[in-house]
Amino acid sequence: MSRHVARATPPARAPVHASRPSELLAHRMYLDIDWLLPGRQVTLKVEGFNIAGSIKLRTALSMVEAAERRGQIGPGSSLVESSSGNLGLALAIICAERGYHFICVSDPKLSPSTARLIAATGAELIVVTEKDNQGGYLQTRLAKIKELLQARPNVYWTNQYGNPDNPLAHYGGTAVEMLADWEDITHVFVGAGTTGTLSGVGRYLREQRPQIHLWAVDAVGSVTFGGPGSSRRYPGLGTSVAALISKTCAFDGLVYVSDDRTADMLSRMWRKGLMFGPSTATVLAAVEQIGRHRPLGGRIVAISPDMADRYTDWMVP
Ligand SMILES: Cc1ncc(COP(=O)(O)O)c(C=O)c1O
């Protein structure tokens, strides 16, 4: 008679042994979603399983380590960044582990739990409250950074909106993994905030597999690709000032998703146990919007930037 050993969890894969918190990453995770477009292969590239809980850990590491290599920052340095939450937390963790002081400039859309985590690392958190003329806060956040840089000239601004090390994180990481892991990709959907992910993934796809159709996903009310600005409910995707790096980013199609569609998808997603954040819902809503009208064959890969746990404030009924 064979003896069975009960397993509470599936067998572990290769062990991860880190020497710093920021090295705790689980990058190559994918989830098939069979209910979104029946008969098509939709796969989510899940980026939220790391110590900072989002894809922004890649961006933060890339920008900080490049600045360290260039000698722009070192022991005792102070860094500043404007963030709607995820990059702020990723930088706060990296600065805490390396002994840098960090100032995070954010706005009222910052979720309270992310705000508490950022503050818990010892970072300084400044929340601007005045809306800009596009109905967002980005212009106000950037004005606050400029004011801080004048008052404290030795502070280093990572500047995710214009820093080439932002897209490089995805050109040399996110995209490389995706293509190495899947031979049959025909479509890729990427949400646009700073467009770091979109630009980096786009450049690598163009070089390596230009036949893949890259879709940029933006929120209605975002000005990134020239649309009229208006207020938006969710953080992460969309801008009220187009990021400098967005000017050179290349893609094949652009999909706008309304806040209501994001809310609807968020609710459907969570009720199926997909505990990802609102920008994942926006990207999946875009896949559905396009896939309903077009025969998207092959594998459709959508990038999921983060998890649901920081967004319970936006819990939909
Ligand atoms: C949750 C979430 N999704 C998507 C993005 C967009 O990523 P990117 O800035 O690379 O365009 C961000 C950026 O802040 C984010 O926080």
Side-chain angles (χ1 to χ4, degrees):
M1 200 174 83
S2 67
R3 287 192 15 195
H4 287 283
V5 180
R7 275 190 195 277
T9 53
R13 297 176 199 165
V16 175
H17 181 190
S19 58
R20 299 206 257 211
S22 65
E23 290 167 11
L24 277 180
L25 327 142
H27 273 161
R28 300 172 90 152
M29 298 185 87
Y30 300 91
L31 178 68
D32 285 336
I33 303 176
D34 52 10
W35 49 266
L36 189 65
L37 294 173
R40 324 265 180 93
Q41 282 182 304
V42 179
T43 300
L44 210 52
K45 181 171 190 341
V46 177
E47 289 286 330
F49 287 100
N50 61 52
I51 193 86
S54 84
I55 195 167
K56 287 288 180 175
L57 184 60
R58 290 179 189 266
T59 318
L61 275 172
S62 173
M63 294 193 301
V64 168
E65 290 183 350
E68 286 173 338
R69 280 195 302 275
R70 291 192 288 261
Q72 291 167 300
I73 53 172
S77 284
S78 289
L79 283 75
V80 67
E81 184 57 287
S82 149
S83 166
S84 57
N86 280 338
L87 182 70
L89 180 57
L91 283 170
I93 291 168
I94 293 169
C95 288
E97 76 180 11
R98 294 167 199 221
Y100 304 146
H101 177 65
F102 178 53
I103 310 158
C104 182
V105 179
S106 194
D107 62 54
K109 286 199 281 182
L110 174 69
S111 91
S113 54
T114 307
R116 283 193 291 271
L117 288 172
I118 291 172
T121 66
E124 221 175 307
L125 178 62
I126 298 173
V127 178
V128 302
T129 50
E130 203 178 303
K131 279 194 177 171
D132 58 35
N133 56 18
Q134 304 290 351
Y137 294 95
L138 191 47
Q139 294 181 30
T140 325
R141 277 174 13 197
L142 295 175
K144 176 53 91 184
I145 292 211
K146 300 218 164 107
E147 192 187 305
L148 277 166
L149 291 173
Q150 281 202 331
R152 305 191 220 173
N154 293 327
V155 172
Y156 178 78
W157 179 24
T158 38
N159 188 11
Q160 60 167 330
Y161 311 100
N163 188 337
D165 298 312
N166 171 358
L168 275 179
H170 306 287
Y171 174 80
T174 319
V176 177
E177 288 161 20
M178 201 192 315
L179 292 201
D181 293 336
W182 301 103
E183 283 289 331
D184 56 349
I185 305 178
T186 53
H187 295 262
V188 171
F189 285 75
V190 182
T194 66
T195 72
T197 316
L198 183 68
S199 305
V201 168
R203 200 178 125 206
Y204 192 75
L205 291 186
R206 284 278 145 100
E207 287 173 14
Q208 301 295 325
R209 276 196 240 164
Q211 65 277 21
I212 294 177
H213 200 94
L214 177 63
W215 294 91
V217 181
D218 202 0
V220 170
S222 163
V223 305
T224 302
F225 303 110
S230 61
S231 64
R232 290 163 286 109
R233 206 177 306 157
Y234 301 102
L237 299 190
T239 57
S240 57
V241 184
L244 192 62
I245 52 177
S246 71
K247 309 287 181 203
T248 50
C249 93
F251 48 85
D252 305 295
L254 171 62
V255 197
Y256 280 103
V257 177
S258 68
D259 281 350
D260 284 348
R261 276 193 191 246
T262 293
D264 172 66
M265 183 58 76
L266 201 52
S267 158
R268 285 160 62 200
M269 219 172 71
W270 287 355
R271 280 161 191 269
K272 293 201 175 277
L274 277 78
M275 306 316 283
F276 301 106
S279 67
T280 304
T282 310
V283 174
L284 288 183
V287 173
E288 189 177 54
Q289 250 169 256
I290 296 299
R292 273 190 180 157
H293 306 292
R294 285 177 190 234
L296 304 179
R299 184 175 304 278
I300 303 159
V301 174
I303 295 184
S304 165
D306 68 357
M307 311 303 290
D309 52 352
R310 314 263 160 73
Y311 299 99
T312 44
D313 328 351
W314 282 291
M315 189 77 81
V316 274

